[in-house]
Amino acid sequence: MDRFQDYGFQDSRELVVAALQSLQSALELANKERSAALYASKHAEQSNELEGPTRRPPLVGSMKGTFVLPLPEYFDEPTDDFEEYM
């Protein structure tokens, strides 16, 4: 009986009850962590679904002819639209 009293327990029954309570607390914590991991995993999957199909890179040369050089003479002149900011 002295072995249980050294640890603050009256008998083996108290020791078993304390051990089971500790185990229950550990299992509850593990379940919370598991739930959080499942939520994060599910949220990541939904995020990937919302992005849609992957985008193809633009074709090289597809903008050919849309930007004309030389630039017009008035290109660097200030515009009336931005006078209030200057």
Side-chain angles (χ1 to χ4, degrees):
M1 286 276 193
D2 291 335
R3 337 176 248 184
F4 301 115
Q5 290 175 351
D6 290 344
Y7 297 102
F9 301 107
Q10 296 296 322
D11 57 8
S12 62
R13 183 179 175 139
E14 285 185 16
L15 177 64
V16 170
V17 169
L20 288 175
Q21 288 173 344
S22 178
L23 180 60
Q24 183 178 7
S25 297
L27 288 174
E28 288 173 359
L29 180 62
N31 282 336
K32 286 180 184 178
E33 290 176 356
R34 182 176 177 265
S35 296
L38 288 174
Y39 174 80
S41 173
K42 185 176 181 181
H43 182 66
E45 288 174 6
Q46 288 176 349
S47 175
N48 290 338
E49 290 173 2
L50 294 176
E51 290 177 6
T54 56
R55 205 175 121 199
R56 292 186 310 195
L59 296 174
V60 175
S62 64
M63 296 292 293
K64 189 174 186 178
T66 59
F67 189 72
V68 181
L69 291 175
L71 295 173
E73 293 178 19
Y74 59 87
F75 181 77
D76 288 329
E77 293 179 9
T79 62
D80 297 335
D81 298 335
F82 296 108
E83 280 185 15
E84 63 186 70
Y85 300 108
M86 298 175 121

